[in-house]
Amino acid sequence: MAKRSSGDFTSILGWMLLPQLAASYLLKTVHWILLRVAPRAVPHPKTPRYALHQRMSYVFVIAVYLLYTLWSTEQNLGANYYHILGLRPDDFSASQLRRNFRRLSLALHPDKNPGGEQQFILVQHAYNVLADPLTRFVYNHAGEAAVMCQACKTVSDYMLAAIPRRLAVYLTYVMGSVAMQVFRIGKYGTYWRYIAIGTFAALELAMMTRTTDPVLIRVLLWMAPHRTSFEMSQILQQVMICFFIALNQIGPQFIPQEKNVNTVALAKQLLAITRNTTAEIQGKAERLAGFYKDTGLERLASESFESELQLGMTIGTSHKFREEYIDRLNAERSQIALK
C-alpha cells in the first residue's frame, strides 16, 4: 500500500512538472532538425503556425506520458497471489494449486532457506486464500484487504465489511474534485469528472455484489489474464485520474478561458456607444418636432418616429451591438491564442 501511495504521489507530481518542460524541449529538438532538413517548415515565433506547433508538441507529450503512467500503474500493483504461486486466475486446477504450493513451500522452508521466513509465510497465506473458494472469490473481487476480516463467514459478510472502505476511496475523489472547483483548479471536464466517479463506484459495487463480472471487466481481463477483477478496477481508477489530469493539461491549449478576455472593457465601450446612439435619437426627435410644428401633423410624425425608434432599438441597433461585441471578443481571443 505504501508503494502504491508513493507511486500515486510521484505520478501527480510528474503531471504537474514534466509535460510543459518536455514539450518545450521536444519543440526545440524538432525545429532544430527541421532547420537542417527543411528550413522553410520552421515557423517564426509569435505566429499562429508556431502556436500550433507548440500545441501539437504539448498534446504529443501528454499522450505519451498518459500511456507511461498507465503502464507504471500496472507495474506498481506488483505480484498477486496467483503470480506468487505460478498460476493464472482464469486457468488452474486444485491439483495444480497444491502441487505448486508444495514445491514453493519446500524451496522456501526456513530450514532450507534461512532468512526466507517472510516469503514462506506469504506463500502459505496465498495458498490458504486461493484454496478456499469463498476467500478466493472475495480476493478476486474486493482485494487483499477484504480477506483480512477475521469475523466474516460468508461472502456477504466480507463484502459488507469491504464496501465502506471502498466507498471512502470514492468519497475522497469527490472531496478532491470539490476542492479543485473551490480553488479553480482543473476547470475542464468538471461535470464529466463527477459522472466518471459515480460510474466507477457503481462498477466496483456491481463487481463486489454479483457472482459474474461486468462486461467491461471481463474484456479487460481477457486483455490482461494475469490480473484479478479488483486489480483491473484499480487500474481503471488510475485511468480516470490520469484522463482528467490530461484533459486539464490539454484543454487550455485549445479552448481559451473566458476570464482572459477583457469583457468588462468591451461592455464599457458598448455602453458608451449606446449613450451616443440615444443622444442621436433624441436629437432627431427634436428636429422632427421643430419641422412639423404648427403644421397639424405633429401627432402623425410622433407616432411614426416612435415606431421607428422601437424598430431600430429592437432590431437594428441591438443587432449592430451584438455583431460588434462578437467581433471584438473574437479579436481578443485571437490575440490571447498568439501569446
Side-chain angles (χ1 to χ4, degrees):
M1 183 64 69
K3 182 179 179 181
R4 173 77 187 276
S5 301
S6 176
D8 290 345
F9 176 77
T10 304
S11 176
I12 295 173
L13 187 63
W15 276 105
M16 293 173 60
L17 301 177
L18 291 179
Q20 190 73 35
L21 182 64
S24 176
Y25 279 108
L26 174 64
L27 184 63
K28 290 179 181 179
T29 303
V30 171
H31 282 178
W32 182 85
I33 295 173
L34 288 177
L35 279 172
R36 285 149 181 79
V37 178
R40 294 184 179 180
V42 180
H44 192 275
K46 296 184 179 180
T47 61
R49 193 162 167 233
Y50 187 86
L52 176 62
H53 283 206
Q54 285 181 315
R55 291 195 295 268
M56 297 309 296
S57 61
Y58 199 79
V59 169
F60 177 79
V61 169
I62 290 293
V64 172
Y65 194 65
L66 177 61
L67 294 175
Y68 166 76
T69 302
L70 298 179
W71 173 82
S72 64
T73 299
E74 198 276 336
Q75 295 297 310
N76 287 334
L77 288 175
N80 55 32
Y81 289 170
Y82 294 96
H83 186 267
I84 291 172
L85 294 173
L87 303 170
R88 277 184 50 165
D90 61 337
D91 184 20
F92 74 95
S93 61
S95 59
Q96 185 181 6
L97 174 62
R98 289 192 297 270
R99 186 166 57 252
N100 288 8
F101 169 68
R102 289 197 207 95
R103 177 173 54 81
L104 287 171
S105 60
L106 289 174
L108 297 175
H109 197 278
D111 293 340
K112 296 184 177 180
N113 184 27
E117 292 86 357
Q118 293 300 323
Q119 290 179 323
F120 180 75
I121 294 174
L122 179 60
V123 168
Q124 277 191 321
H125 180 66
Y127 173 76
N128 292 334
V129 170
L130 299 184
D132 184 352
L134 173 62
T135 54
R136 182 168 70 243
F137 177 86
V138 174
Y139 175 75
N140 288 344
H141 293 82
E144 181 180 354
V147 298
M148 299 298 180
C149 179
Q150 299 296 326
C152 299
K153 302 299 182 183
T154 65
V155 172
S156 298
D157 294 338
Y158 280 106
M159 295 306 178
L160 288 174
I163 284 175
R165 182 174 59 254
R166 298 307 308 159
L167 290 180
V169 173
Y170 290 98
L171 180 61
T172 303
Y173 291 153
V174 172
M175 294 175 62
S177 184
V178 171
M180 291 173 67
Q181 283 186 271
V182 171
F183 294 102
R184 299 184 180 276
I185 303 173
K187 295 176 62 178
Y188 295 90
T190 301
Y191 170 78
W192 292 107
R193 186 160 58 237
Y194 288 111
I195 294 295
I197 292 173
T199 301
F200 280 111
L203 179 70
E204 188 165 345
L205 186 62
M207 189 176 65
M208 295 173 67
T209 55
R210 295 181 180 179
T211 56
T212 58
D213 291 323
V215 176
L216 176 60
I217 297 296
R218 278 182 280 170
V219 171
L220 294 175
L221 288 175
W222 176 77
M223 298 172 61
H226 61 290
R227 291 297 177 189
T228 65
S229 302
F230 179 76
E231 288 175 323
M232 295 310 305
S233 71
Q234 302 301 291
I235 295 175
L236 283 176
Q237 288 179 19
Q238 194 66 25
V239 169
M240 175 186 70
I241 295 172
C242 292
F243 172 77
F244 285 111
I245 293 176
L247 178 63
N248 283 280
Q249 294 276 354
I250 295 175
Q253 303 297 319
F254 294 92
I255 308 173
Q257 298 184 27
E258 288 294 329
K259 68 176 184 178
N260 291 334
V261 180
N262 194 357
T263 54
V264 175
L266 291 179
K268 289 181 178 179
Q269 293 178 15
L270 292 175
L271 285 174
I273 294 173
T274 303
R275 294 192 193 99
N276 295 335
T277 305
T278 303
E280 291 176 2
I281 293 173
Q282 290 175 348
K284 182 178 180 181
E286 293 174 358
R287 289 193 298 273
L288 283 172
F291 182 78
Y292 286 102
K293 186 178 181 181
D294 299 328
T295 62
L297 300 174
E298 292 93 339
R299 183 177 178 182
L300 179 61
S302 176
E303 292 177 354
S304 176
F305 178 72
E306 287 179 0
S307 298
E308 181 183 347
L309 174 62
Q310 292 175 3
L311 182 63
M313 290 303 294
T314 56
I315 299 178
T317 54
S318 61
H319 181 67
K320 176 183 176 182
F321 293 161
R322 184 169 64 252
E323 286 185 343
E324 185 170 353
Y325 180 80
I326 292 173
D327 290 342
R328 294 189 183 189
L329 193 65
N330 290 334
E332 287 213 6
R333 282 176 171 170
S334 299
Q335 292 177 1
I336 291 170
L338 294 176
K339 291 179 180 179

